[in-house]
Amino acid sequence: MAEKIYDVIVVGGGPAGLAAAVGAKEAGAKDVLIVERDVSLGGILQQCIHPGFGLKYFNEELSGPEYAYRFIEKVKASDIEVKLDTMVLEVGDHSVVGINPKDGLFVAQGKSIVLAMGCRERTRGAIMTPGTRPAGVYTAGAAQRLVNRQNMMVGKKVVILGSGDIGMIMARRMTLEGAKVLAVAELMDYTAGLTRNRVQCLDDFGIPLLLSHTIVEIKGNKRVEGVVIAEVDPATKQPIKGTEVLYECDTLLLSCGLIPENELTKEAGIKINPITNGPEVNQFMQTSYEYVFACGNVVHVNDLVDNVTDESLRAGQYAAQYALGTLPKAKEIPSVTGNNVRYICPQRICPDAPAKLFFRAAAPKLGVTMKAYADDKEIFSKKLIKINPGEMEHIEVKPEDMQGVSSIRIEVV
Amino acid sequence: MKKTDVVIIGAGAVGSALARELSKYKLDVTVVEKNADIGGDSSKSNSAIIHTGYDAKPGTLESQLVVAANPMYDEICKDLDIPFKRIGAILPAFNDEQMEQLPAIKHKAMMNRVYDVEYKTGAELLEMEPELNPEVKGGLYIPRESIIDPFLFCIALAENAADNGVKFELATKVIGIDQKDGAVTTVKTDKGDIECKYIINAAGLYCDEIASFVGKNDYYVTPRKGQFYILDKKTSCKVRTIVLPIPTKVTKGKLMCPTMHGNMLVGPTAEDLLDKTDKSTNKEGLDSIAADVRKMIPNVNLRDSITQYCGLRAQRNPEGLNIDMYDDLKGYVNISGVRSTGLTNSVAVAKYVADLLIESGMKAEPKTDFIKTRKGTPHFAELSAEEKAELIAKDPRYGNVICRCETITEGQICDAIHRTLGATTVDGVKRRVRAGMGRCQGGFCGPRVIEIIARELGISPDEVCKNDKGSEMLKGFVR
């Protein structure tokens, strides 16, 4: 194999990887490589044929493939190298080990590496839904791929468990394709996904949303024949006896949460945050290994691709700066979660540079104030009509507010 | 009408082992299986343990055959190119009452001629299994208790049998047996009749129903459900051996052990049912596993479960392994009472039945060209870098990773489809090469596996089934 050393190697060619590569190139990196396991760039965006992308970043409404296309064009217009159909098996010391039918097993050397592997869906096994194990149980994303990319119908009579964005979008998609969506059941007493998706995908199509409900049994030996839905006690989340209702259906789609895909990250020994399940990063998107950066859903699950793009462009820039030796090293302080804050990303902050702190609330609440504190001094305060764990918020912190402090805390009160 | 010498009913562990055993002789053998694939019902959903027989009822046929079978596995698994590990089992005792039970268990092992069972101190057990409840006082160690891949085991036996000339009629259900002048003549199936001289009933859970076709159902079979958890390979709390509870009067109890592929297996429950098709898990059962296993392994992390499944043991009433031939019905062998030890004793049952048939006068001349070995699908992930490169150079499809969790390549999936008795279904691929067995449970590779099966078999994607007919993965095309 050639002795070439890339400035930046990007693992994953979805929205995060594309923006990271573009960002790295714009920041002056010479040799940039994207390694993508699918047959084309764009990642999950390629199966997201619905609109709603780009409202923030491009100020216009695009479909997933259209949004991806804009970045793919940028990659094509540059001399960024792309390896498609290629699975990365290992992230090593300034290197990645990959495999594809053409090159076989190869090692690529890089001065910095950007992890942009995205996330995967929680499965039936992970949520432990009891019952039989027939055909017709799909995660919403797998079903989306089958319907939108392989042109196959996964079922005709559908129940959806979980009100994640993909689940709600698939409720609309299946309806448009002539399937009957009987209900969306959600364990929590609020929707997991964006409000706009609840309105546009469920309410507008008259699909019932059953909050504080779950599936207690899957029926059918060969193909799904039905699911039993029961109400849960909002406090304990345990099914309430006597509330079981059988929904006869041939398909169950699961939209019960996304998990950052960090097999490679963990194997490499990079520090993982137990709440986000992604690598801990600073505002430069630098992981616990200073030459490894990470961005997009592999770090924490985003609700808008626009945010992923923004974050990933920066990750690419900083990865390029690191490769070129211009990224400053500094002492870092932690970001700390206060009242009603589930997590903050980045977890570490370099006080000498401005930082955008993204966070999610732990529980939905109306009429709140989000606040940031440098140690005990309030440095930011903003009133919000409501806060919802399904919608990410952020606070920007300036260097002058962080000098000499030991941590930055965010609270929602 | 099809004609054959011997019909074996059922392609579970016993049927498959019998097929391979009889393929050593100059006989025409046909296996009839109602399911779309090899592996039966109980043989594919169990604890995947090859037992020593230390706890069998001394003096029974079951005890003799399990004890005889255990030492056969090293060679069989080597010949069939399937994984097998002698990891040993421990029986830890956590209180005086349990300690007092140990001598009786050890004595029973001696009665069964399992002479290598040893006492261990609490400290020794904790050294062997650091995750054990530290209150452990002492226990027993059974070194030859072993683990196997139950799917591959049945499939490999059947494949090797097929390579030696045995015919397999899959997705074919036996609906009757004809006899004439006190001897069997024909097996009637939903796909036509098969004329034969010998019939071996190896139908496991359904052996009473087959026996009823010839009036030899002087017993009945009820299913005993066992539910299990499979935990992620990376789960926070792992064991190295098979950790067994001290049995109570009611049940052998719930165990925790590694699987052949590095996952953790936790279970099973024991629930007596009547419905032989009830393969559903339930919350009560799964919760009871958690409660029981935590007594032995306090930190077992069931939140790391990637799947849960249920198997049905064939409970014979009255109980006990029985292998019968009849004076008034020549050519018919009835195997009943194959239960949790069935996976283990299948290979001994096969030899026993073959001998029984030969003793009864069946003409069976040994073949001189029996193919003893089988070459499995390459385990791509376990190969060295050089071996990987070589394989990809020979067949580029080995460079295309389809199942990311288990690193299974397109080359392996195509091999699973095109080899002898190859996979025709999504579960068939999964059980042969593990695509979809990992932590995402086919979320990523599922749609791709459907495409590959359709392409390789030349069928439409909406004809691809999960397992049996009626389990189609898809419902037609989009508008």
Side-chain angles (χ1 to χ4, degrees), chain A residues 125 128 138 177 261 267, chain B residues 234 302 308 404 473 479:
Chain A
M128 300 190 205
Y138 287 99
E177 284 298 337
E261 180 134 2
E267 282 295 327
Chain B
K234 291 270 155 69
L302 298 174
Q308 304 86 43
R404 62 185 169 184
M473 295 294 291
R479 282 175 173 174

Side-chain angles (χ1 to χ4, degrees), chain B residues 49-103:
Chain B
I49 294 171
I50 296 302
H51 298 286
T52 52
Y54 77 94
D55 61 344
K57 192 171 173 190
T60 58
L61 180 62
E62 185 184 25
S63 149
Q64 288 173 31
L65 292 181
V66 175
V67 173
N70 183 291
M72 297 179 191
Y73 276 87
D74 303 276
E75 192 184 337
I76 286 178
C77 294
K78 198 168 149 259
D79 286 345
L80 296 178
D81 193 17
I82 58 170
F84 172 68
K85 254 193 210 159
R86 293 207 178 273
I87 59 172
I90 59 168
L91 269 159
F94 298 99
N95 54 44
D96 293 343
E97 195 189 320
Q98 287 182 338
M99 283 298 287
E100 283 163 19
Q101 282 177 262
L102 297 179

